[in-house]
Amino acid sequence: MTKLLKTPINAAHLQAGAKMVDFGGWEMPLHYGSQVEEHHTIRNHAGMFDVSHMVVSDLIGTGAADYLSKLLANDIARINNSNALIGKALYSCMLNEEGGVIDDLIVYWMGGDRYRIVTNAATRENDLSWMNSVLEGFDATLTEQSKVAMVAVQGPEARELVIAWGADKLGAEVGKDIKSLERFFATEYDGWFIGRTGYTGEDGFEVMMVEDKATLFWEEMLIAGVKPCGLGARDTLRLEAGMMLYGSDLDAVTTPLESALSWSVGLDPAERRFIGRELLDEQKERGVNRKLVGVLLDGRGVMRDHQKLFFGGEQVGEITSGGFSPTLNRTIALARIRADVTENCEVEMRGKMVPVIIQRPLFVRNGQPI
Amino acid sequence: MSEIPATLKYSNSHEWIQLSDDIATIGITDHAQALLGDIVFIELPEVGEHISEDGECGVVESVKAASDLFAPIGGEVVEVNENLGDAPEQVNETPYEAWILKIKIDNASDIDNLLDATQYQAVVDAE
C-alpha cells in the first residue's frame, strides 16, 4: 500500500476524532462524528472543509490569456476585460480533442497577465501534464503551488466570521476588502488568497494560505465557532446544489453539453478555437443524445451511483451521483439519460423498480429547497 | 473503541440480542453503526411475519450503503420499533437502546449458537 499524502492540517483532524479515508491518495476527513449534522451546520450556520488536497497553479505571462482561451471551454474574455473584474472567478471545463472533459476547474483573474487555477486532486497528474502540453508555444509559465493550503469556510454565517477574522488578524483594511468582495471574486493579501467561492450552494469563502499558517487559521476559525466538516457532507452539499463531481458526473467521454453545463461553454465568438470545440459545435447543431438531469424519489431508500433508470421498460440511463439529501430528508440523484426522455422514470434499486421524478439538476440553493 | 455490553448476546453479522424468556430483542451493534455512518432509513419487517435463522428481516440504509439486517435467531416478529421511522439516527446515537425488532424464539436451543461479548469482541478484532 502506498503511503497516503497528508495536508498541513492533518494532525488537527486526528485530534478532533475525524474518521479518515483515502481520497485520491490523500488521507482526508470523511466526517467528525456525523456527516448529516455537518451538512445541516453548513446549510444553517458555518462549517469548514480542509481542501488542501486540491491543486492550485499560478499562470503568468503575456500569453496567459490566449493560452486559457485555447485550454478552456468557457471564455476567459468573460472575466479579464475590465479593471472592475480583477479577482473575478470563472468556472470551466478543459476538454480533450474529442470534447470530453479532462477536468472541471475554477480560474481567477488576478489582474494583468496573472491567473490562479484550482483543479481536482484525484486528476492531478493528468491535468498538469495536459495543461503543460497545451502551454507549448505560449509565452506564459504555469507553476503548481504545492505549498499552498486551502480551507473552505461555508454557510450563511461564514461570511461574517471570515470578515471579522480578517479585520482582527490581517488589519481593518483587509477586513473591509473581504467584506466588499462580490460573489465569485477573490482578493489577495500578503500570501493570503480569499475567494468568495465554494462547492456547497451556500455563501462563504475559500481561503488559501502558505501551508505553515493553515493549522493556525483552522484553529482560529474553530474558536470563532466554525465547525469542522468532512468530505461526506461536502458531497451531499454539492449534490443538493447540483454541482458536478469529476469522475462521477463528468468524464473524458462526455461533453459539457451532455452534462447540463452549456452555461459554462463559450461558443461565441465562433473564431475562438478552444480544444474540443469541433464536437461541441456539432452537438449544438444536431442536438445531444444524452443529458444530465436531477432525480427525486418520494419515499424511503437511497439512490446510489450506477443504478439504472428505465422508461417504458427500456433502460434509458443511469445514476451518476446518488445519495441522501439531509435538507430534503429524502434521496436525490444526478443521472445521465437519453435526451428524448422528458417524463418520469423508474429506478432499479436492490432488485425493485421504483418510480422517480425527473427534474432539472438543482435541489437546494442558499439553504432553501427548490 | 466500540462498546460491547457484557449482558447482551451477539451475531457474526453485528446484531445484538437481548433475551427475556422466549423473546429476543434485536438491534445492531455500536461497531456496526460506526461502520455504516449516519443511518437515514430503516426498513422494518411486518409484525406476524415468520423469519428463519439468518433470514433477512429488514434493511438499514445509511449515507454510505444499504445493508441487510439478518435475524440472528429464528421466530415470529412480535413487535417492531416504529419510532425509528422518523428518527433512524437513534441507532447511531444509542445503538443498544434503539432496538429494531422483537422476535418470539422458535427453538430455545438456538440461543446456544449466539456469541457472548468476548466472542463478539474477537469477531470485531478480526476485521
Side-chain angles (χ1 to χ4, degrees):
Chain A
M1 206 182 107
T2 51
K3 204 162 182 285
L4 293 178
L5 298 164
K6 291 176 181 179
T7 76
I9 311 171
N10 185 275
H13 303 319
L14 297 178
Q15 203 180 356
K19 179 176 168 55
M20 306 297 280
V21 292
D22 175 356
F23 183 83
W26 290 81
E27 185 181 81
M28 300 300 291
L30 180 65
H31 60 73
Y32 299 80
S34 164
Q35 72 173 66
V36 169
E37 265 175 45
E38 289 162 22
H39 180 110
H40 289 308
T41 295
I42 287 196
R43 284 275 178 261
N44 301 309
H45 304 288
M48 60 183 163
F49 307 99
D50 177 5
V51 284
S52 303
H53 59 312
M54 295 193 77
V55 180
V56 179
S57 303
D58 286 334
L59 176 73
I60 186 161
T62 52
D66 286 343
Y67 163 69
L68 292 172
S69 188
K70 181 178 177 186
L71 180 76
L72 303 180
N74 208 341
D75 191 355
I76 197 68
R78 285 177 176 173
I79 64 161
N80 69 358
N81 58 13
S82 123
N83 279 345
L85 293 176
I86 290 177
K88 177 80 177 165
L90 183 77
Y91 172 83
S92 181
C93 294
M94 55 181 174
L95 309 179
N96 56 32
E97 298 286 356
E98 291 76 43
V101 180
I102 290 175
D103 200 7
D104 64 339
L105 56 85
I106 297 278
V107 55
Y108 301 87
W109 178 48
M110 300 319 295
D113 42 26
R114 293 172 54 234
Y115 297 84
R116 173 161 279 197
I117 303 169
V118 181
T119 47
N120 285 304
T123 48
R124 179 179 170 276
E125 279 74 25
N126 193 38
D127 287 352
L128 293 176
S129 96
W130 177 258
M131 288 159 81
N132 279 309
S133 73
V134 176
L135 193 59
E136 221 162 285
F138 288 97
D139 187 6
T141 49
L142 183 72
T143 313
E144 185 193 1
Q145 302 294 344
S146 55
K147 303 279 183 204
V148 168
M150 172 155 50
V151 175
V153 188
Q154 302 276 297
E157 293 166 9
R159 190 164 166 264
E160 286 304 318
L161 294 171
V162 174
I163 292 167
W165 168 86
D168 182 30
K169 306 291 178 188
L170 304 179
E173 283 306 309
V174 180
K176 266 190 219 160
D177 195 23
I178 299 171
K179 192 172 182 176
S180 68
L181 276 182
E182 303 273 356
R183 284 200 187 211
F184 242 60
F185 273 84
T187 186
E188 297 168 287
Y189 175 78
D190 193 24
W192 293 88
F193 183 103
I194 299 160
R196 196 169 168 196
T197 46
Y199 192 50
T200 60
E202 296 299 324
D203 202 353
F205 295 100
E206 290 177 301
V207 182
M208 300 177 219
M209 70 289 285
V210 287
E211 60 182 0
D212 54 9
K213 293 190 176 169
T215 297
L216 183 60
F217 176 76
W218 184 267
E219 284 166 357
E220 286 166 351
M221 285 292 112
L222 279 178
I223 290 165
V226 180
K227 296 278 186 298
C229 299
L231 293 180
R234 187 166 162 85
D235 191 49
T236 52
L237 288 157
R238 71 93 195 165
L239 181 58
E240 287 184 349
M243 294 172 170
M244 306 303 154
L245 174 63
Y246 190 82
S248 294
D249 311 302
L250 304 176
D251 59 52
V253 294
T254 308
T255 75
L257 304 186
E258 297 164 322
S259 306
L261 290 176
S262 305
W263 62 271
S264 77
V265 176
L267 290 176
D268 292 320
E271 302 81 68
R272 190 175 72 90
R273 307 309 298 176
F274 63 86
I275 299 168
R277 172 164 195 137
E278 287 70 25
L279 189 74
L280 269 53
D281 279 334
E282 203 181 301
Q283 284 188 335
K284 179 120 194 270
E285 182 81 17
R286 291 198 208 151
V288 290
N289 296 325
R290 301 180 299 157
K291 63 180 176 184
L292 191 124
V293 295
V295 185
L296 258 182
L297 189 154
D298 196 6
R300 290 179 177 218
V302 179
M303 291 182 278
R304 309 281 179 186
D305 297 9
H306 306 302
Q307 285 175 343
K308 295 177 176 64
L309 286 166
F310 291 83
F311 179 71
E314 205 182 328
Q315 192 189 331
V316 293
E318 70 169 36
I319 305 279
T320 53
S321 289
F324 176 73
S325 159
T327 307
L328 304 180
N329 196 27
R330 66 206 314 215
T331 180
I332 57 171
L334 299 176
R336 189 164 285 103
I337 63 171
R338 239 170 47 198
D340 61 318
V341 176
T342 52
E343 289 171 71
N344 293 333
C345 294
E346 288 181 308
V347 64
E348 187 180 359
M349 292 168 72
R350 296 166 59 79
K352 282 185 216 153
M353 294 297 232
V354 183
V356 289
I357 299 158
I358 301 295
Q359 61 160 62
R360 71 181 171 127
L362 177 61
F363 304 96
V364 177
R365 196 42 71 88
N366 295 322
Q368 298 306 310
I370 287 172
Chain B
M1 258 334 265
S2 61
E3 195 192 333
I4 303 176
T7 50
L8 300 175
K9 296 283 189 182
Y10 299 89
S11 72
N12 280 308
S13 50
H14 305 291
E15 286 88 14
W16 58 259
I17 305 99
Q18 185 187 39
L19 296 166
S20 169
D21 299 328
D22 61 345
I23 301 296
T25 302
I26 298 163
I28 66 168
T29 65
D30 190 22
H31 176 72
Q33 70 77 24
L35 280 183
L36 286 165
D38 294 70
I39 292 163
V40 294
F41 295 115
I42 295 176
E43 206 177 293
L44 300 163
E46 298 283 331
V47 171
E49 200 176 321
H50 186 271
I51 296 167
S52 53
E53 186 180 328
D54 296 330
E56 277 183 38
C57 63
V59 181
V60 178
E61 194 130 19
S62 77
V63 288
K64 193 166 135 192
S67 153
D68 289 315
L69 188 68
F70 296 101
I73 198 158
E76 185 192 320
V77 178
V78 290
E79 203 179 341
V80 294
N81 188 353
E82 302 282 359
N83 291 332
L84 299 180
D86 289 332
E89 67 275 10
Q90 287 177 7
V91 175
N92 292 119
E93 289 160 2
T94 51
Y96 296 110
E97 285 169 36
W99 60 278
I100 296 174
L101 72 158
K102 293 185 184 182
I103 283 180
K104 186 167 190 294
I105 301 166
D106 284 343
N107 299 310
S109 61
D110 291 346
I111 293 168
D112 300 338
N113 299 334
L114 300 173
L115 309 177
D116 64 23
T118 314
Q119 289 166 317
Y120 179 63
Q121 180 72 59
V123 171
V124 171
D125 290 344
E127 281 190 355

